[in-house]
Amino acid sequence: MASKVRPKILRAAITLFSDFGYYGVTTRDLAKEARTTEGSIYRLFTNKEKLFGEALAGVVERSLDPSQFLLMLFEKEQARQDTGWVMTKVIKRWYESLPQNAARLLTQAYFVAPRLRHLAVSPYAPVDKIIEILATTIGRDQKIQARKLNPRHAATALILTLLHFKITYATSGSSASETEAVDAFIRVWLAGISPGCA
């Protein structure tokens, strides 16, 4: 029984917490969405805070694996291709694989996490790792080094912009226009960090 109810509760938690935030959702709301009882939530997760932590951990595990980002970057670099082209392909692939509810839940968690003592997953740890990987790639490019930019700041600006864009744009337009907008963001960003890269 628990093996069938637990995934339903986690799906409901991801949906509701990403839409309404931690404080905007009650265990009654979660039980109604999952079509179960509040008692099941407490029995399986102990409390709302632990359920929030598990929902966040599930989203992070499925959506933001930094090792996949690193692997994509490494594979493209091995082909000895232009750094700007490599970063564009990898960043676009990362963005496309990020579900909107994952981006929303991460953002919700970012504002609530300091108040939640038992939260097992840092809401921005995977995003920070992706930024670190991208910053390392930027830092190795000779053209970019010549500009004396801070690679971490440049990587943070792009990744956080795309994360917030995923939240605000993904439901308001077509996928083709979203792709065009993401391409434009990356092109402008590349032109900013290294005019020869774009």
Side-chain angles (χ1 to χ4, degrees), residues 92-160:
K92 281 179 62 176
R93 199 158 147 206
W94 166 77
Y95 178 86
E96 290 164 1
S97 71
L98 179 67
Q100 186 186 34
N101 69 347
R104 286 197 321 253
L105 186 58
L106 279 167
T107 303
Q108 294 285 356
Y110 180 74
F111 293 109
V112 171
R115 295 184 201 117
L116 301 180
R117 297 178 306 284
H118 301 70
L119 202 57
V121 176
S122 167
Y124 269 147
V127 174
D128 283 340
K129 191 65 180 169
I130 287 169
I131 288 168
E132 182 183 316
I133 293 164
L134 186 56
T136 301
T137 304
I138 294 167
R140 287 196 314 244
D141 188 283
Q142 297 299 322
K143 294 178 208 167
I144 296 169
Q145 282 180 355
R147 302 245 358 247
K148 297 187 179 176
L149 292 174
N150 182 319
R152 178 133 179 105
H153 291 168
T156 301
L158 178 67
I159 296 300
L160 292 183

